Amino acid sequence: MSVPLAELTGDYVLDPTHTRIGFVARHAMVTKVRGAFHEFEGTAHLDGADPAGSTGQVVIKAESIDTGVEQRDQHLRTNDFLDAPNFPDITFRTTGVEQKSDTEYRVTGDLTIKDTTKPVAIDFEYTGNAVDPYGNLRVGLEGSVTVSRKEFGITWNAALEGGGVLVGDKIVLEFDVSAIKQG
C-alpha cells in the first residue's frame, strides 16, 4: 500500500543492495560502455509537504568502479581517470530541490570528482513507495544527468586513426534509488 507524499517526511538511507549508481560513456565514437559503482552510501531528509526542504548526500568509493572488464577498470582507477588512490570519494551534496510535477523533481547540488566541484542538476522521477515485508518504508527514485568529464579534470584520451577519440567527453550518470526510512 502506497503512503501519501506528505507522509513520507523523514530521514532515509540508501539501500545499497537495491540501488544502482551507474554511468554510460561513449567508446571509439561508435558504441557505449556501461558501468556502475558498487560501494557507496547516502542519506536524505525528505520533506513530503515541502519538497524544497529536502536534502541529501551520496559518497561513492571511486575504487568500486566496475565495467565488467578488469583491465579497463584498473585503468579507470588511475590518475588518467578517477585517481582513486588520491581521491577515494566521489561526492554529491544537494543545494536545492524543485518539484516539477507530481512525480518529477530537479535536484541540484555539488558534484565532486578528483577534488573538482561543479554544480549539477539531476532530474529524478519519483517511482513510488511501499512497505517491504520487514516493515521498512521504502521510496524509489530514478534519475540521470550528463556531465563533461573534462570539467572534472579527466582529460585522458587517444586519437583514432580515422578521426575522433577513444573516449567521449560526455558521461551520463544514472541513479536507480531505493531508500529506507529511518526510525
Side-chain angles (χ1 to χ4, degrees), residues 93-128:
R93 287 176 177 54
T94 60
T95 56
V97 176
E98 177 186 1
Q99 186 168 2
K100 306 294 271 180
S101 74
D102 287 347
T103 59
E104 297 174 322
Y105 298 84
R106 176 160 291 156
V107 177
T108 55
D110 293 326
L111 177 64
T112 302
I113 302 172
K114 283 181 73 171
D115 209 27
T116 299
T117 302
K118 298 285 182 184
V120 297
I122 307 169
D123 290 325
F124 278 100
E125 178 183 357
Y126 167 65
T127 57

Side-chain angles (χ1 to χ4, degrees), residues 56-70:
Q57 73 172 22
V58 177
V59 178
I60 302 164
K61 295 299 179 188
E63 68 185 17
S64 74
I65 194 167
D66 181 7
T67 64
V69 178
E70 186 57 31

Side-chain angles (χ1 to χ4, degrees), residues 2-3 8 103 125-130 137-141 177 179:
S2 187
V3 174
L8 295 177
T103 59
E125 178 183 357
Y126 167 65
T127 57
N129 66 76
L137 176 61
R138 294 176 172 270
V139 297
L141 298 163
V177 175

